[in-house]
Structures are given as structure tokens and as C-alpha cells.
Amino acid sequence: MAHTSEGAARHAASGPPWMHIIGFVLSIVLTLAALWLVLGHAMRPAPLFFTIMVLAVLQIAVQLFFFMHITESYGPAWHVWMLALGVVLVVAIVAGSIWIMTFGGDVAY
Amino acid sequence: MPVGVQNYTTHFFVTGDPLIYGVDVSIILVSLAIVYVLTRYRKWGWLWREWLTTVDHKRIGIMYLIAALLMLFRGGVDGLLMRTQLAWPNMHFLEAEHYNQIFTTHGTIMILFMAMPFIFAMFNIAVPLQIGARDVAFPYLNAISFWLFFFGALLFNHSFVIGGSPDAGWTSYPPLADLPFNPGPGENYYLLGLQISGIGSIATGINFFVTILKMRAPGMTLMRMPLFCWSVLAACIIIIFAFPVLTVALALLLIDRIAGAHFFTMFDGGNPMMFVNMFWIWGHPEVYIVVLPAFGIFSEVVATFSRKRIFGYSSMVASMLAIAVISYFTWVHHFFTMGAGPGVNSFFAVATMIIAIPTGVKVFNWLMTMFQGRIRITTPMLWTLGFIPNFAIGGATGVMLSVAPADYQYHNSYFLIAHFHQVLIGGTVYGMLAGMYYWWPKMFGFKLDERLGKWAFWFFNIGFYVCFLPQYLVGFMGMTRRVYIYPPGLGWEIPNLISTIGAYLMGVGFILIVADVVYSIRYGERDLTGDPWDGRTLEWSLSSPPPHYNFARIPRVDSRDAWWEMKQRRQRGEPMEEPEPLRPIHMPKNSGVPFILCVAFFVAGFGFVFNWYVFSVIGLLTVAICLFHRSFDYDTDYYIPVEELEHHEAALGRT
Ligand code: HEM
Ligand SMILES: [Cu+2]
């Protein structure tokens, strides 16, 4: 319990919440960029998918660093381990699904 | 009556089936009886203050337990109805449509509304006590989890009498589950019931993950934790990573159904197999979610009743963590026959076989723990002993199924049905019943009667083999799952008849368990010491039931089996440390908001089921208000003053 109030105090002491403001702006920009790419038919489908994926990954990074305090921890940084495992599993799930759903051939889904 | 209204009522309420009318009547009678009793004995306030608003993990655990037993009953009745229909060729007990609904609700209820709450009951009952904590990390969230599960299950169960049950199997594959092939609210019930309770499950996973990592008593390093806590930790890791996939799959299917999207449709670029893929990315890890806690319970029970340390502690930990990770790499074994190609099938076949290895390690560890131990055959130990041969057979048939080319023969046959019941019942249900008998005195302050408990075990266990062994056979003879009728002359009669008899024996076993509970409430041996089994872990150092703050002083731990070591030291007459003075205890306050929040979820879900979006809007708005309220609520905790603690502890006969 004491931990949380300490942490809150530290944040409160540092003036306007710049981290949150920057993060907020960045995440809005990333979202609008994706929306614009899709609505404006700015690219052919394959590169479009790829670009949107990149934007999504950047979005995750923004969330983690600016809002989810990934760099802070009292004691062992379990959340970083969990995130690392999460990355491994997400890659396995995405890559595995593509491998499975292309039916061993080149039928693209 | 105007035609509109008449149509409306006949579509809203399920009509035309005498079985269902019977249920309607009993639902009404039971509800009236409950209202009467609560009013007559002025218990409404008690219900609200002590249960509906509680954030105490022990009470939440008890509510999970009651819900799980009720759902085991409903799912079990579904099973018996199906077995009755299948007892003999050309039976006319259930119609095709009704049979489809029953296997769907049976499967869904057993996995999501029986197995899941049962493991959560055990999490809640045992984990904080075993690690020397006063509650979970987020008690308020814990209450929300429970009520989300409760109202999700309630919503799902409404389908039976209002609107019609889902009937596309517990796997709910499109295109069968898509709107054109499955109009009506049934599938929506499935999607929303699971979605709502699934949010609760994810929250529970996070909650216990954090609890175990952050709230252990001083000195309890990870490698000194009881194995049950390790199993919960492993299960939570799986929950955190697997459940979101289910959430997404269900959400996309719901969007297909109510908003006309094409994620999983046959045409317009949809791909139904993608749902199958996503379902099992969750589905396989899910079976480990429900079986790992059972493994943990067996480890506790075996050690206690062999009066020995568990053999191979670190290999137990390693194998559970290995299972937690490998279980993400096996999901295709549920659809080898989709034909994703030899490369895919071989990879997932091998991964499936590999996961059998850590499981085998654990079985040997349990056996080695019993070896040369002083074994006491109590009811929890009986369920544990019953589990071992069950899991050996279930594991062996699992490895048979994992051989992809062979699976083309076994797939969706009764061989498969027998296999997964063997591991789900033999693993999860036996494990949870072992845990229930083991921790019952801790929760309620009295033991369940051993004699009745043993009768129940033997009926259930023998019934199990009689029910499911013939199904392996009839599977080899070509009987497929989800058939509601079959012709005579195929040689299927006798095995099916035997199987049905076995199912009824298991039913008797269940009734005996209920009888045991009812009998023991009155006559069960009272537990005055708090340590009725001569246990090894910290929960047994408390009185039964423990006070609401659990530990007046947080214990200091310097070895595994902390309570056993303390008792040993006391026996050897070593000087005990002077107890520290009591200090005020920081506790979370009860709150009615989780309950209201989840009622709102229920209302919103109901609106989606029937496409009455007014309800959805009202419900979701209320959800938002509840979340908002919580964000600005600073009056969430309090301190128990020392005088009150002294008073409580003295009343429990402790200093
Ligand atoms: C009282 C004991 C039980 C009996 C007699 C029983 C019987 C049955 C029967 C007859 C079927 C349908 C087979 C078919 O027509 O395809 C079935 C399916 C199923 N059972 Fe059980 N069962 C029991 C307990 C359980 C338990 C404890 C679980 C899970 C923890 C479970 C999970 C399932 C699942 C997932 C299905 C597949 C449903 C589907 O095809 O969609 N059952 N069971
Ligand atoms: Cu599987």
C-alpha cells in the first residue's frame, strides 16, 4: 500500500504530466495515420497491411513506455519477463497461424 | 391475444417440450422458496452485507465452490440425458435438435462454468492462506471477477427457457454458428455468456499472478512456496496469454452475427477455419489451465497423507513451467484433419508428444513421494490415488491421438470422447474434489464425513470406468461423437448400454457427495485445532475457519513446508520466538459496486442476445458509471484496531 502512494507522490511532484501528454499525442497521431492510410487507399493491400502492422507495434511501445510504466518496478521486474514471454507467444501465434492457414501451399488468406 | 404478442411470447419462452415445462415449474418453485426463506428469516440484509458485497477471498472462494457444484449438477444432468438417449438403438427420448442443444450446453457448462469456477474456488480458498497473505493483491477486482463469472453463467443458463439453447457444439464453429445457419438467440447466449465470464477469468489470472509474486510472507522465496501455489502461478500465466485470444475470436464471431461482418463467413472473403484456429489457440492451453491446479492439489494431498516432503520439488516446478509454455505449441492437434499439410501436422504432433514428458515426470514424483511414506487413506487421498491410473490411461490415449495420421481415424469418434473425459474427469474433477474434501474443514470448520465420502468415491470411480472404457471400444467400431441416434446391428448396443449404466453410477456418486455435505453440516466432526490432517503448509496454522484478516501476525518462513517445520521445532522443544506485539491491520472495505457492475454487464449482454440495444446501452452506461465511481472512490480501506484483534484472537483461543 505504502508503495503506491510513494509512487503517486513522485509523479505529482514533477509538475505537469509531460509523459502522459506526449504519449497521448503520439498515440493519437499513430491512430490517425493508420486510419488515413486505410480510408485514403494510400497503398496496395500487401504494403498496407505491413505498414499498419508496424504502426500497431509502435502503438504498443508508446502505451508501454508512456502509460504502463514499464521502466518502473519495486523488486524484480516480473512484468518485463511476462512481456518477453508475451512477445514470444504472440510471434508463435501469428507466425503459426499464417503457416497453418496457408494450407501448406500458396493459397493466401 | 393479438398474433404479434402471441408469436412474440412463443418465441421468447421455449415451448412445446414437457421436459422444459418441468424445468420452468421447478425454477419458479425454487426461486419462490428462496425468496420466502430469505424474507421469513429476515436474511436479505445478511445476504447483501456478508456475501454479495464481500471482497474477502475466503467467501468469494466459497461462492465459487457453490456455483461450481451447481453447474456440475446441471452439466451432469445433461450428460445423463444424453446417455439415456444413447443407451439403445433407435431411442426416442430426445429429438435431434434437443440432443444438439444438450451436448452444446453440457460441454460449455462443464468446461467454462464448472471447471473454471472450481479451480478459482481453490485459488481463492488456498493461495492467500498458503503464502501467508491477508487477501489477494486486488480484492475488489476479485469480487468483480466472481460476479462477472456468475452473471455470465446466469446469462448462458437462461438460454434454456428463454429463447432457446445454443446448438453448434461447445466449440461453436462457423459456418454452423453463423447467422444464416443458426438464426435465433441461442448462439448469442453462448458468445456473450462466455465473453462476460471470460473478462472475469482474465482478471483472476492477473490477480493471482500478482498475489503470488508480490504478497508472499517474508522469507517465503519462490522455491519455498507450496506446490499448489506454483501450479496456480503456471495456470495464471496461461490464462493471461490464452484468454485474450478467445475474447477476440468470440468478439469477431459476434460481430459477424449481429453486424453482418465477414470474418468467418463462407463467402465475401471470410474464413471459417480461422475461427477454429483461434478457438484452439485458446482451447488447448485451457485444458492445462484446468488441470495444472489439480496437479497442485494432488501434490499437497500426497505430501500430507504420506507424511513426507514432496519428492522432486524442483522437477515439479520445472515441469509445470514447461507445460505452461509448451501448451501454446500444440493447438493444431484438435484439427489435424483440416489438412494443413504434413509439415504443420508433424510439428504439432511432435510438440504434443513432448508435453507428455513433464506430465510423466510428475506422476513418478507422486509415486516416489508415497514410496515408504506413512500413507493414510482419507477421502482426499482416495481421489488422488484414483486419479493416477485414470491419468495414465488418459495420457496414453492422448499420445495415440497425437499421432497425426492415426488421428484421421480417431478424430471425432467416441474414442476421442472417452479420452478427454478421462483426463478432464480423472484429472480436473478428481483434483477439485480432492481439494474440496481437503480444504473443507479449513473453510467451514468441520470435516466431511469420511465413510460417505468413500462410498461416493467408489461409486464415482467405478462408474467412471464402466461409463467411459466401453466408449473407446465403440469408437473403434466407428461410432462418431454428436450422433443422437444409431441403428441396431452394428455391435454398438452392448457397449452403449454398459456406458449408460456407468453414467448413472457416477450420478449416484454425485448424489452421495451432496448427501455427505448435508449430513456433515449436522454431524460432521468439528475441527477445533485448525489442523485436522496434520498438514504441512501455512493454512493449517490458522483456526478453522480463519478470521477475516487471516493472520494476526504475518508468519516468518525459513523453509519449505513451513508449518510442518514449526511443529517439528515445537516438538523438539526448541525455544519459540516471543510473538511480536499485534499491530493494526490494513483491510479492504466491502463494496456493492462489483455486484451492480456485473448486473449491468448482464443487462447489456441480454440486450445483445436479443438485439434489443436499448438494454445494451443502459447496461454499458451503468458499467461506465461504476468504473468512474471506483476511480474517484478513496474510501476503500480501513484498519482493524489492536483491541479488536486481541478480542478476535482471544475468542479463537489464540494469543
Ligand atoms: C457425469 C459425467 C459425464 C457424462 C455422463 C458425460 C457424457 C457426455 C456425453 C454423452 C457427451 C456427448 C457425446 C456426443 O454426443 O458427442 C459429452 C460431451 C462432452 N463432455 Fe461430457 N460427460 C460427463 C462429464 C464431463 C465433464 C466433467 C466434462 C468437462 C470437465 C465434460 C466435457 C465434455 C465436453 C467438452 C463435451 C463435448 C461437447 C461437444 O461435443 O460440443 N463432460 N459428455
Ligand atoms: Cu489440446
Side-chain angles (χ1 to χ4, degrees), chain B residues 323-365:
Chain B
I323 289 174
V325 175
I326 305 175
S327 68
Y328 286 91
F329 295 88
T330 64
W331 76 87
V332 176
H333 65 216
H334 295 274
F335 52 100
F336 279 145
T337 52
M338 182 178 93
V344 172
N345 279 5
S346 314
F347 176 88
F348 285 93
V350 172
T352 307
M353 294 172 201
I354 287 176
I355 211 169
I357 298 171
T359 317
V361 168
K362 302 181 70 69
V363 172
F364 282 108
N365 281 337

Side-chain angles (χ1 to χ4, degrees), chain B residues 72 75-83 86 99-100 102-111 114-115 168-172 290 414 417 420-421 424-425 428-429 460 464 467-468 471 479-484 499 502-504 506-507:
Chain B
L72 182 59
V77 171
D78 282 347
L80 290 182
L81 290 174
M82 287 188 288
R83 277 317 321 166
L86 293 176
Y99 189 89
N100 291 352
I102 292 187
F103 72 63
T104 303
T105 52
H106 166 78
T108 312
I109 285 180
M110 283 298 198
I111 304 271
M114 187 284 288
W170 87 280
T171 47
S172 185
V290 296
Y414 259 85
I417 298 276
F420 74 66
H421 282 91
L424 278 168
I425 298 183
T428 305
V429 176
F460 202 92
F464 177 83
C467 181
F468 289 100
Q471 294 186 9
M479 182 159 165
T480 48
R481 76 193 279 197
R482 298 177 177 171
V483 292
Y484 89 107
S499 177
Y504 278 94
M506 293 169 80

Side-chain angles (χ1 to χ4, degrees), chain B residues 321-558:
Chain B
L321 292 179
I323 289 174
V325 175
I326 305 175
S327 68
Y328 286 91
F329 295 88
T330 64
W331 76 87
V332 176
H333 65 216
H334 295 274
F335 52 100
F336 279 145
T337 52
M338 182 178 93
V344 172
N345 279 5
S346 314
F347 176 88
F348 285 93
V350 172
T352 307
M353 294 172 201
I354 287 176
I355 211 169
I357 298 171
T359 317
V361 168
K362 302 181 70 69
V363 172
F364 282 108
N365 281 337
W366 290 314
L367 294 178
M368 290 305 288
T369 308
M370 282 186 270
F371 181 64
Q372 292 194 332
R374 264 180 291 151
I375 299 181
R376 284 173 290 163
I377 307 286
T378 54
T379 322
M381 191 62 176
L382 263 184
W383 288 104
T384 306
L385 292 173
F387 147 81
I388 289 176
N390 247 316
F391 219 73
I393 304 174
T397 54
V399 175
M400 288 170 74
L401 285 160
S402 76
V403 183
D407 184 59
Y408 275 67
Q409 287 300 314
Y410 310 134
H411 185 63
N412 275 359
S413 71
Y414 259 85
F415 184 84
L416 168 79
I417 298 276
H419 155 72
F420 74 66
H421 282 91
Q422 188 126 34
V423 282
L424 278 168
I425 298 183
T428 305
V429 176
Y430 279 35
M432 293 309 118
L433 290 173
M436 181 179 99
Y437 272 91
Y438 183 57
W439 281 309
W440 190 279
K442 184 54 43 195
M443 279 302 98
F444 298 101
F446 61 89
K447 270 184 169 176
L448 289 176
D449 185 65
E450 285 281 304
R451 204 169 45 87
L452 267 172
K454 286 178 181 162
W455 276 101
F457 168 79
W458 284 111
F459 264 98
F460 202 92
N461 194 46
I462 293 173
F464 177 83
Y465 287 100
V466 176
C467 181
F468 289 100
L469 288 186
Q471 294 186 9
Y472 284 119
L473 207 67
V474 84
F476 278 141
M477 294 178 182
M479 182 159 165
T480 48
R481 76 193 279 197
R482 298 177 177 171
V483 292
Y484 89 107
I485 206 161
Y486 56 92
L490 295 168
W492 297 357
E493 295 90 334
I494 299 302
N496 269 306
L497 185 63
I498 297 177
S499 177
T500 303
I501 294 172
Y504 278 94
L505 289 178
M506 293 169 80
V508 175
F510 182 79
I511 293 176
L512 286 174
I513 292 177
V514 176
D516 195 356
V517 172
V518 174
Y519 174 85
S520 308
I521 289 176
R522 261 204 99 119
Y523 303 107
E525 182 190 330
R526 304 292 124 168
D527 169 26
L528 303 175
T529 61
D531 188 11
W533 308 115
D534 197 6
R536 313 176 69 81
T537 40
L538 286 176
E539 72 270 35
W540 305 112
S541 70
L542 297 169
S543 60
S544 300
H548 55 292
Y549 47 82
N550 296 351
F551 295 90
R553 298 177 187 81
I554 297 290
R556 280 180 199 290
V557 176
D558 44 26

